[in-house]
Amino acid sequence: MPPTPRPEPGRPASGADPFHEPRRGDCPWCGSRQLRTRVRAPEGSRRTPGTFVVDECRDCAHAFQNPRPTADGLLLRHHQHPVEDDISAILAGRRGRRLRRHHRAAARALRAYLEPESWLDVGTGHGHFPEAAREIHPYTSFDGLDPTRRIEQAWEAGRVEEAYQGLLTDPEITARLRARYDVVSMFHHLEHTADPREELRAAHTVLRPGGHLLLEVPDRARPFGTRSLRSRRFWKPHDGLRPLHLIPLRNLLSELRSLGYEILTTRPCTPLPPRAHRILARRTAQPTAPAVPPAPVADLPPLSSTPPPPWPGPSASAP
């Protein structure tokens, strides 16, 4: 299925804020209306216009951006702050070696459970994780999914065998990839999605029975989670997309179990940015809530696994 470029964000509409949804008065995780504001600051010229606000639920401790960015607001962030470009610069130095070691360690976590045949890395960007993980699993087919055009570069560089541009929760993508993968990985991706629950349900759908889900999420109970709500300085080394959600670990594990995952391992890890949890779960039963409904899918083949010719440009179609 060739990547379909998403439209550029248009001009701001007069009156309404085109970059933020209306402010909500309840928690997106548990529905409680017991909220408190943890930080309020101007977004600044390097970010989308408006005010950056993080609210926290007093009942379940879930922290989230309120108001949440719209689809255009998130798209504008991707265009203005390509986080993967910063990582590409990091890869040349000592921190790059550390990041590659971290990627290999994450891939090695699957060795005790299976040797996967197929692996989908969600939010893969330029495909640096599949490139490193292939050293640990040389016989695994690595595919990538990303909402930006960076996935095209990952495919051209040979880091992924099949490339999909879009969101895992898109009905066409979910139906196209249903029960296809032994492993689905999300590294610091879940906290940037509009609805983490829908993302986990979609991952359950594209996994084969007995397949494994590998997550890395920031630990809000540690400095990355707490200082990020109090000090804007903490964001400067990783001045990219701010998380839409900071999910307490107990909430996330409970949600995984309710969706039909068996928790295998949970351990702290120190990727970039630091202070995170790595969670490995196995798909067991059907989710208690309905998964993303299947939709008719056009007969669109994935990008060819053969070495592609030079990219002809944004106006030309993929081979």
Side-chain angles (χ1 to χ4, degrees), residues 225-238:
T226 54
R227 288 185 60 189
S228 62
L229 302 180
R230 299 175 183 174
S231 172
R232 299 185 69 204
R233 293 181 304 158
F234 190 77
W235 293 95
K236 289 185 179 179
H238 313 285

Side-chain angles (χ1 to χ4, degrees), residues 143-211:
D143 298 345
L145 183 146
D146 196 86
T148 71
R149 292 179 64 89
R150 294 174 295 176
I151 189 64
E152 297 169 354
Q153 301 173 21
W155 175 71
E156 291 173 349
R159 299 188 183 108
V160 295
E161 296 189 22
E162 294 183 6
Y164 302 91
Q165 183 174 353
L167 301 173
L168 187 60
T169 52
D170 289 345
E172 285 193 4
I173 290 180
T174 306
R176 178 74 173 85
L177 304 180
R178 179 180 296 273
R180 179 171 177 177
Y181 291 100
D182 295 317
V183 181
V184 171
S185 57
M186 300 179 184
F187 295 97
H188 288 274
H189 166 79
L190 194 65
E191 64 269 22
H192 296 293
T193 60
D195 190 338
R197 279 193 173 102
E198 287 299 316
E199 202 79 11
L200 295 174
R201 292 190 188 106
H204 193 282
T205 301
V206 303
L207 280 170
R208 294 170 179 168

Side-chain angles (χ1 to χ4, degrees), residues 17-61:
D17 184 353
F19 299 113
H20 294 89
E21 298 177 355
R23 181 176 175 83
R24 64 183 301 160
D26 60 343
C27 172
W29 195 264
C30 70
S32 170
R33 303 189 67 85
Q34 301 298 318
L35 305 180
R36 60 173 176 173
T37 298
R38 294 295 302 270
V39 65
R40 183 189 301 271
E43 285 278 17
S45 59
R46 297 192 64 231
R47 299 191 180 275
T48 53
T51 302
F52 171 70
V53 180
V54 173
D55 284 351
E56 184 184 57
C57 176
R58 295 177 184 270
D59 290 334
C60 72

Side-chain angles (χ1 to χ4, degrees), residues 168-296:
L168 187 60
T169 52
D170 289 345
E172 285 193 4
I173 290 180
T174 306
R176 178 74 173 85
L177 304 180
R178 179 180 296 273
R180 179 171 177 177
Y181 291 100
D182 295 317
V183 181
V184 171
S185 57
M186 300 179 184
F187 295 97
H188 288 274
H189 166 79
L190 194 65
E191 64 269 22
H192 296 293
T193 60
D195 190 338
R197 279 193 173 102
E198 287 299 316
E199 202 79 11
L200 295 174
R201 292 190 188 106
H204 193 282
T205 301
V206 303
L207 280 170
R208 294 170 179 168
H212 291 68
L213 176 66
L214 181 61
L215 297 175
E216 281 190 7
V217 293
D219 183 359
R220 71 167 311 286
R222 290 180 178 270
F224 179 76
T226 54
R227 288 185 60 189
S228 62
L229 302 180
R230 299 175 183 174
S231 172
R232 299 185 69 204
R233 293 181 304 158
F234 190 77
W235 293 95
K236 289 185 179 179
H238 313 285
D239 197 17
L241 306 183
R242 286 167 168 164
L244 301 183
H245 302 271
L246 288 173
I247 311 171
L249 180 62
R250 65 179 184 275
N251 293 3
L252 182 56
L253 295 181
S254 175
E255 183 67 19
L256 286 170
R257 294 187 183 100
S258 71
L259 293 177
Y261 292 97
E262 175 191 359
I263 308 301
L264 299 179
T265 61
T266 302
R267 54 159 294 181
C269 56
T270 56
L272 299 174
R275 301 300 185 186
H277 279 290
R278 180 183 301 149
I279 303 169
L280 181 61
R282 180 189 292 124
R283 180 190 189 274
T284 55
Q286 292 298 322
T288 55
V292 178

Side-chain angles (χ1 to χ4, degrees), residues 94-130:
R94 183 175 61 183
R95 295 178 69 193
R97 293 191 294 271
R98 175 189 171 195
L99 183 60
R100 284 190 292 270
R101 286 197 302 269
H102 174 77
H103 284 164
R104 290 192 293 267
R108 201 175 289 116
L110 270 296
R111 273 185 166 179
Y113 299 96
L114 81 163
E115 181 63 33
E117 294 181 2
S118 56
W119 188 315
L120 177 67
D121 188 38
V122 180
T124 193
H126 284 138
H128 295 303
F129 170 75

